[in-house]
Amino acid sequence: MALDRGTLAMLIDGVRRFVENECVPLEREIAEQDKVPDSLIAQMRQLGLFGFAIPQEYGGLGLDMEEEVLLVFELSKTSPAIRSVVGTNNGIGAQALVLAGTREQKERYLPPLAAGETIGSFALTEPEAGSDAASVRTMAVQSGD
């Protein structure tokens, strides 16, 4: 466990209260506006949710898989958009760097991702492939310098 049981319980309880008191009341607005309000995103930053899977040395919470699942269970009790905002940042937005980035890349990119100052994501689509990564035909070819 990355966190001791007491700290983990406080984190999960805080996220549960955040979801119940702040997120659930805004579900209709989020659905109608197709946007998570900036005020809610600011609260998610304060809770450390943008870096829950990013190592502590880079400003994240450094949760292990079990802790992540417990946290995501709570986030999933409201609009899927809430979980997506921070889940994508922690997952595909940061994990390539965590797992395979150079020290310099990690030091440059992970702290702003963990703080929610930069929000990472993954864009994937082509007319013939949709979002099937195995069917994508676009490629990068180095040309010159």
Side-chain angles (χ1 to χ4, degrees):
M1 298 246 99
L3 300 178
D4 65 76
R5 288 287 178 187
T7 302
L8 178 61
M10 288 187 335
L11 173 64
I12 298 303
D13 185 58
V15 172
R16 181 179 300 118
R17 286 192 320 258
F18 168 70
V19 166
E20 290 172 356
N21 298 328
E22 305 297 331
C23 300
V24 170
L26 294 176
E27 287 174 341
R28 180 179 298 257
E29 176 184 333
I30 291 168
E32 289 173 355
Q33 301 293 322
D34 195 28
K35 181 181 186 312
V36 177
D38 292 339
S39 60
L40 213 52
I41 291 174
Q43 289 178 284
M44 294 189 316
R45 284 185 183 110
Q46 290 175 342
L47 289 169
L49 297 179
F50 282 94
F52 65 74
I54 295 174
Q56 291 178 350
E57 67 185 289
Y58 299 107
L61 297 178
L63 301 185
D64 65 24
M65 185 58 65
E66 179 184 352
E67 294 166 338
E68 286 184 41
V69 168
L70 293 170
L71 186 140
V72 171
F73 276 165
E74 296 305 323
L75 290 175
S76 298
K77 294 177 181 176
T78 187
S79 168
I82 301 299
R83 190 222 29 94
S84 292
V85 169
V86 295
T88 312
N89 192 68
N90 279 281
I92 204 160
Q95 288 308 301
L97 289 167
V98 170
L99 297 172
T102 66
R103 185 81 175 158
E104 293 78 21
Q105 289 170 327
K106 292 176 182 181
E107 290 172 353
R108 179 176 178 184
Y109 296 109
L110 290 177
L113 284 166
E117 295 166 3
T118 299
I119 298 176
S121 191
F122 179 65
L124 170 67
T125 189
E126 281 187 350
E128 302 301 318
S131 58
D132 177 7
S135 298
V136 171
R137 298 292 175 242
T138 300
M139 64 179 165
V141 178
Q142 186 170 347
S143 176
D145 293 337

